[in-house]
Amino acid sequence: MNDNDLTKVFDTYRPALGPDLEFMGRLEQRLEAVEFIREQQESRRRRNHIGLVAAAVAGCVVGAIATLVSPWIMSACIGIAGMSELMAVVTTWVVAAVLCVASILAVYDMCTTSFKKLEPAPRNVSNF
Amino acid sequence: MNRTEFVRHVERCQRELRRFLTALCCGDTSQADDLAQDALMKAYLSCDGLQDDSKFKSWVFRIAYNSFISGTRRPCPTIGLEQATAMESGDCSDSAFRYQALHAALGRLSEKERAATLLFYMESYSTKEIAKMMNTSSDAVKQQLSRARVHLKSMLENER
């Protein structure tokens, strides 16, 4: 057997492969699944981004409002609850911080949830 | 490269890829098809990095070869040449039996020798191109080809 014979052996090598259509169909299904995951990741990224921006805006607004009403809270703490001045300052800032954090979390959650509801239903990739 | 372009490229070279992988898997077509699917998925996920579309085929072959090497491979059929030749099929169109001796001979080669041989003889790539695909030197490929040639010749010679 010489080199030409070896070349001939591989030239004539035609194993029985499965149907092309079946192979391509399987590949298309997997590509579809990849596209679906990509779309989901992209929409989640977009949703998180919008949620973060909205939460930051809400945090700023609530923080500003809390700062503006802090003298009133402080005087209420001293007048109504009978706290010392130091205790009243601490309480005021704790209340402001809690309000800010709560509003940030609530707005972020509301944004991500509502945007998720607005998105189109996922395609059927159950065959994957 | 978008999905349509990718599929068009794949349609053009999928048969060659599957044929190459079938030989690489010593005739196991289902393993070859699984490997081809995995390689094509990897290719799709990284196809933005491909600069030159004309090199798509060699690029996919390289990914397929790496997929084969990196652990997805299963042991090749360990059936000997004597057993292989003793097995006869009534259906002469049965390619699994027709190529049994070749598959058994390929199974005796190392993975690198097998891949180099198939890329050289079946796909007509030059040793330089094969070296690039297999991430090795051109001299190493020449050595692998030379060793494989000797082994294949002696093994297939015995079949005649």
Side-chain angles (χ1 to χ4, degrees):
Chain A
M1 176 178 261
N2 56 31
D3 252 12
N4 283 343
D5 290 334
L6 210 51
T7 311
K8 215 182 284 174
V9 165
F10 286 106
D11 276 348
T12 54
Y13 180 68
R14 296 277 180 273
L17 302 172
D20 290 0
L21 272 176
E22 195 181 295
F23 181 83
M24 288 309 292
R26 198 173 144 205
L27 181 69
E28 288 272 13
Q29 260 184 11
R30 297 183 81 179
L31 293 181
E32 184 77 12
V34 167
E35 286 302 322
F36 172 70
I37 291 167
R38 273 184 178 169
E39 275 174 28
Q40 291 292 311
Q41 282 176 336
E42 178 59 28
S43 73
R44 179 179 287 184
R45 198 191 60 78
R46 212 178 315 122
R47 222 166 42 224
N48 287 348
H49 185 72
I50 293 169
L52 278 175
V53 171
V57 170
C60 286
V61 171
V62 173
I65 293 169
T67 310
L68 287 174
V69 298
S70 62
W72 179 82
I73 299 171
M74 216 184 297
S75 59
C77 286
I78 295 167
I80 301 166
M83 288 179 185
S84 66
E85 197 171 325
L86 179 68
M87 215 32 211
V89 170
V90 171
T91 308
T92 305
W93 288 115
V94 166
V95 168
V98 167
L99 282 174
C100 280
V101 170
S103 61
I104 285 169
L105 292 176
V107 169
Y108 180 76
D109 194 47
M110 277 193 307
C111 274
T112 49
T113 313
S114 55
F115 275 105
K116 200 174 184 179
K117 279 179 192 163
L118 288 175
E119 277 168 15
R123 285 168 286 174
N124 181 22
V125 287
S126 57
N127 291 334
F128 175 60
Chain B
M1 185 186 295
N2 62 29
R3 187 171 151 186
T4 319
E5 285 170 342
F6 180 81
V7 169
R8 205 171 49 234
H9 280 296
V10 171
E11 275 170 345
R12 256 182 255 142
C13 70
Q14 56 92 12
R15 274 202 90 77
E16 286 153 295
L17 178 70
R18 290 164 69 200
R19 195 169 71 116
F20 164 69
L21 285 170
T22 302
L24 204 56
C25 297
C26 306
D28 188 341
T29 46
S30 60
Q31 189 195 359
D33 274 6
D34 287 346
L35 267 175
Q37 292 278 345
D38 285 347
L40 290 169
M41 288 308 293
K42 283 180 192 167
Y44 182 64
L45 290 172
S46 57
C47 66
D48 291 336
L50 180 69
Q51 309 290 332
D52 187 358
D53 283 7
S54 62
K55 288 180 180 160
F56 182 84
K57 189 183 150 191
S58 60
W59 178 67
V60 165
F61 270 68
R62 184 182 183 167
I63 296 173
Y65 166 74
N66 286 331
S67 296
F68 172 74
I69 289 295
S70 64
T72 44
R73 64 184 181 228
R74 288 198 300 252
C76 285
T78 50
I79 166 174
L81 277 178
E82 299 77 23
Q83 280 174 283
T85 45
M87 292 171 81
E88 279 181 30
S89 167
D91 181 5
C92 59
S93 68
D94 188 348
S95 77
F97 284 99
R98 198 192 318 159
Y99 298 118
Q100 194 97 37
L102 178 63
H103 290 151
L106 284 170
R108 296 265 176 100
L109 304 178
S110 74
E111 278 109 16
K112 286 184 177 178
E113 286 172 356
R114 205 185 310 155
T117 307
L118 295 172
L119 290 169
F120 186 80
Y121 285 108
M122 207 191 274
E123 302 302 326
S124 308
Y125 283 113
S126 69
T127 50
K128 262 187 187 175
E129 288 170 313
I130 296 169
K132 209 175 162 192
M133 278 184 205
M134 293 173 61
N135 202 19
T136 185
S137 68
S138 192
D139 286 340
V141 171
K142 280 176 192 164
Q143 263 188 352
Q144 282 157 2
L145 279 174
S146 163
R147 271 200 301 266
R149 215 174 276 141
V150 172
H151 283 131
L152 278 177
K153 274 180 191 172
S154 72
M155 283 186 272
L156 294 174
E157 191 75 50
N158 292 338
E159 290 306 304
R160 296 189 154 195

